[in-house]
Amino acid sequence: MSARTHTRPHPANPGGVDIRLPWWALALPALAFVALLLLILNPADAHAAGGDPAITHLFERVQQTVLHQAP
């Protein structure tokens, strides 16, 4: 008695991989990144944090640069 071999109904795509992501798979990480960046760059919320004034000065300069380049 011989066993049947099963073949794939559709051949594999040799040209590349076709992966489709839902819209939220890209939007949620981007939104989280922007939210964390705004938390870091907002010096009004960081008044209780003591630390190196050079780091605070660096964050303020980055914030000024980002805000002045916005359309």
Side-chain angles (χ1 to χ4, degrees), residues 33-64:
F33 175 78
V34 169
L36 290 174
L37 184 64
L38 290 176
L39 284 174
I40 290 172
L41 294 180
N42 191 356
D45 292 338
H47 64 276
D52 189 13
I55 294 174
T56 305
H57 182 67
L58 175 68
F59 284 146
E60 289 174 355
R61 295 289 282 171
V62 170
Q63 183 183 20
Q64 289 173 356

Side-chain angles (χ1 to χ4, degrees), residues 2-41:
S2 64
R4 283 189 165 174
T5 58
H6 296 286
T7 60
R8 291 184 175 181
H10 302 289
N13 189 1
V17 178
D18 185 25
I19 297 176
R20 293 190 176 264
L21 294 175
W23 65 269
W24 51 264
L26 296 175
L28 288 180
L31 181 65
F33 175 78
V34 169
L36 290 174
L37 184 64
L38 290 176
L39 284 174
I40 290 172
L41 294 180

